[in-house]
Amino acid sequence: MENKGTKPAIVLFPFPLQGHLNPMFQLANILFRRGFSVTVIHTQFNFPISWNCPDFRFVQITDALSENEASNPDVVELLHDLNSKCADPFADCLRDILSEESGASCVVVDALWYFTADVTAKIGISRIVLRTSNLCSFVPFAEFHVLREKGYLPLQESEAESPVPEFPSLRMKDLPWIETKDPRSLDKLLSSLSKALQSSSGIIFNTIEELEMDSLYQIHKKFPGVPIFCIGPFHRYVSASSSSLLTQDMTCVSWLDKQLPNSTIYVSLGSIASIDESEFLEIAWGLSNSDQPFLWMVRPGSVRGSEWIELLPKGFVESLEGRGKIVRWAPQLEVLGHGATGGFLTHCGWNSTLESICEGVPMICMPSFGDQNVNARYISDVWRIGLHLENKIERKEIEKSIRVLMASSEIRERMRKMKKTAEECLGQGGSSYCTLGNLIPHILSL
Ligand code: UDX
């Protein structure tokens, strides 16, 4: 349905976590550039500091999360709370938007908003889902109940290194799992997600299909009749992300300007993962002992039991004599794209992984939970564009992996080829270019 002007309208509903907001905003920009007028429904919780999107219309719904709920470190509980509290406000808001003259015929929701399946069915509007992970981690998530029935999850430590018969590229310890008080709430979350995807009018992935053809085939089998659109990397269509929840420290860029080309290790564990004091200190000493320049993003609160970096030994920062810089939040796209950045010690969130691929920066994997373990295995063993810190976080291992990564021309060469694939898929005739070309008429046909 078109509005009064000439533009078709679309409504988007991002999930309020950093790794989900960024790709949804990038997608909103892609659709805007393809001629859609964009309305974004958003929660009060985790409202980005500046949207910098004057062309979009924003409508806030009340999520009524209490302070305790909003700061709950149990991510699974937080996801359920948001789903139950936002269902009615979202339904009312969507009805209001649709009753206006500028009605839309389709809503794009994050896959974590599983409640939207029922609401959109009742209202009678089509729903396309954005899944912000890649395909290779999505498949084991989609088969989660089978993995649980077979007793693979939660992980039996004695089986950690055993290959998974159903997923030969993975070891048991790589299977996606999220720690939560009651594992049944994780079962409920994943079965609700899967059900909501089955009834959707399409699933969009921020990935490049050439990287994950086998997984794409499995997804088609698992979700027959649901159109799948791999149109990543999103951030390459549009300028830098404007959906940051924290202020990016731009002094990173002038500091990097002073480093030699390809010399610096960028370190970030993303927006959710946390570590304990001893892991934090092992990373600090591993970086320091590597003798390589490093830019380390330590998110406030990400070291359990401390505010920021006060657990570092006295004199640690001074002893680096300018070779290391620690910040609270970095302009990650600029950092990865800077010529001085030569390696990325990462938690392997999918956005970070894809951003690193696009800049051709090899990785050292330090996964924490969920899809990150699968991504790490693909980075180290399948794509072979990085190294995997397999065991406990340990200073000697970190130091060694930095030295090996910086010296490895094979890894760098494979990364260079993958970067080229990421560029080519967006060019005329490339896979993502063509799939985006199919997505637009699909949306307009709904
Ligand atoms: C979470 C999960 O951890 C991840 O596994 C899943 O794929 C998505 O949700 P997150 O921890 O936020 O993701 O990591 P990631 O997916 O890498 O997204 C982080 C985003 O924040 C990236 O777009 C990155 O560029 C941005 N970022 C990160 C910054 O802008 N500055 C920083 O300092 C760190």
Side-chain angles (χ1 to χ4, degrees):
M1 193 199 306
E2 298 219 351
N3 63 9
K4 258 183 157 181
T6 50
K7 285 186 166 205
I10 194 143
V11 178
L12 294 102
F13 189 30
F15 201 84
L17 295 176
Q18 189 69 74
H20 295 253
L21 288 164
N22 287 0
M24 186 63 99
F25 269 78
Q26 290 152 1
L27 179 62
N29 272 301
I30 294 169
L31 294 175
F32 177 75
R33 296 230 183 139
R34 289 294 182 122
F36 286 85
S37 74
V38 171
T39 301
V40 177
I41 301 179
H42 66 89
T43 52
Q44 292 164 301
F45 171 69
N46 272 357
F47 185 71
I49 41 173
S50 73
W51 295 101
N52 188 20
C53 304
D55 299 311
F56 299 174
R57 176 183 170 209
F58 292 95
V59 187
Q60 179 171 295
I61 57 169
T62 314
D63 49 56
L65 281 188
S66 67
E67 240 174 73
N68 277 350
E69 286 166 334
S71 57
N72 191 347
D74 189 320
V75 180
V76 178
E77 281 184 357
L78 175 68
L79 300 189
H80 282 305
D81 282 343
L82 278 163
N83 269 277
S84 63
K85 299 219 166 176
C86 290
D88 289 341
F90 174 81
D92 293 343
C93 177
L94 187 59
R95 278 198 194 90
D96 286 349
I97 291 171
L98 296 177
S99 68
E100 295 164 5
E101 283 177 87
S102 57
S105 58
C106 176
V107 189
V108 180
V109 301
D110 190 290
L112 296 186
W113 288 125
Y114 59 79
F115 80 82
T116 57
D118 288 344
V119 169
T120 51
K122 264 190 213 135
I123 293 179
I125 184 166
S126 301
R127 175 179 48 91
I128 290 183
V129 177
L130 169 64
R131 186 67 188 113
T132 58
S133 71
N134 57 12
L135 307 176
C136 58
S137 65
F138 175 69
V139 179
F141 263 128
E143 295 295 342
F144 191 75
H145 66 287
V146 177
L147 304 174
R148 289 277 276 147
E149 272 164 23
K150 295 202 169 189
Y152 299 169
L153 290 171
L155 177 69
Q156 320 282 317
E157 275 310 322
S158 57
E159 294 295 321
E161 301 298 332
S162 309
V164 183
E166 292 77 3
F167 299 103
S169 304
L170 302 181
R171 303 184 198 172
M172 290 292 177
K173 66 179 185 185
D174 303 329
L175 289 173
W177 181 258
I178 306 174
E179 281 309 327
T180 178
K181 276 183 212 125
D182 178 1
R184 284 170 306 180
S185 66
L186 182 57
D187 294 331
K188 184 187 154 210
L189 176 72
L190 293 173
S191 66
S192 306
L193 291 187
S194 198
K195 230 171 100 200
L197 288 162
Q198 296 280 2
S199 63
S200 71
S201 300
I203 312 174
I204 300 175
F205 284 91
N206 180 17
T207 191
I208 304 159
E209 65 180 43
E210 283 87 342
L211 302 189
E212 343 187 50
M213 285 311 272
D214 290 352
S215 304
L216 180 58
Y217 172 73
Q218 286 171 291
I219 290 170
H220 279 301
K221 258 181 42 193
K222 174 81 188 166
F223 297 94
V226 180
I228 307 291
F229 301 94
C230 298
I231 60 166
F234 290 179
H235 70 281
R236 284 303 202 185
Y237 295 86
V238 287
S239 55
S241 158
S242 55
S243 45
S244 198
L245 291 169
L246 300 170
T247 305
Q248 297 179 326
D249 185 336
M250 298 311 286
T251 63
C252 293
V253 179
S254 47
W255 183 82
L256 282 170
D257 287 341
K258 293 189 202 111
Q259 311 306 320
L260 293 174
N262 276 328
S263 66
T264 304
I265 295 285
Y266 169 53
V267 188
S268 159
L269 300 182
S271 69
I272 304 174
S274 62
I275 49 177
D276 62 26
E277 176 178 355
S278 92
E279 293 170 323
F280 175 63
L281 293 177
E282 291 301 308
I283 296 174
W285 286 116
L287 292 171
S288 168
N289 296 344
S290 76
D291 290 334
Q292 210 69 36
F294 64 87
L295 173 62
W296 186 8
M297 189 285 284
V298 181
R299 206 181 67 249
S302 64
V303 183
R304 291 190 286 276
S306 79
E307 297 260 312
W308 190 42
I309 58 169
E310 57 279 8
L311 294 173
L312 284 177
K314 251 204 168 99
F316 176 85
V317 175
E318 293 72 23
S319 73
L320 298 169
E321 294 177 342
R323 190 170 53 78
K325 180 174 173 70
I326 306 178
V327 297
R328 291 178 165 78
W329 191 247
Q332 183 162 302
L333 288 175
E334 284 88 339
V335 168
L336 288 171
H338 196 288
T341 305
F344 184 11
L345 177 53
T346 170
H347 71 309
C348 306
W350 180 236
N351 295 293
S352 294
T353 304
L354 192 57
E355 289 160 10
S356 206
I357 289 173
C358 288
E359 299 301 343
V361 178
M363 287 166 266
I364 299 173
C365 306
M366 199 187 274
S368 172
F369 67 91
D371 63 334
Q372 299 160 16
N373 294 300
V374 180
N375 298 341
R377 184 64 56 207
Y378 270 71
I379 291 167
S380 62
D381 292 18
V382 180
W383 300 323
R384 297 165 65 220
I385 51 171
L387 302 171
H388 197 319
L389 294 171
E390 296 274 358
N391 304 312
K392 248 177 68 196
I393 298 179
E394 214 266 305
R395 66 186 74 183
K396 280 226 152 29
E397 288 301 311
I398 294 173
E399 178 190 339
K400 190 171 125 202
S401 65
I402 293 174
R403 292 187 193 282
V404 172
L405 189 84
M406 297 312 263
S408 171
S409 51
E410 290 90 358
I411 293 179
R412 218 162 277 278
E413 178 55 18
R414 281 192 288 273
M415 191 42 132
R416 197 190 58 74
K417 287 191 180 139
M418 194 168 274
K419 177 183 179 196
K420 197 158 173 261
T421 306
E423 281 161 6
E424 286 173 354
C425 75
L426 295 180
Q428 204 162 5
S431 60
S432 295
Y433 175 93
C434 295
T435 307
L436 179 60
N438 297 334
L439 173 64
I440 305 297
H442 177 70
I443 295 175
L444 294 173
S445 72
L446 294 170

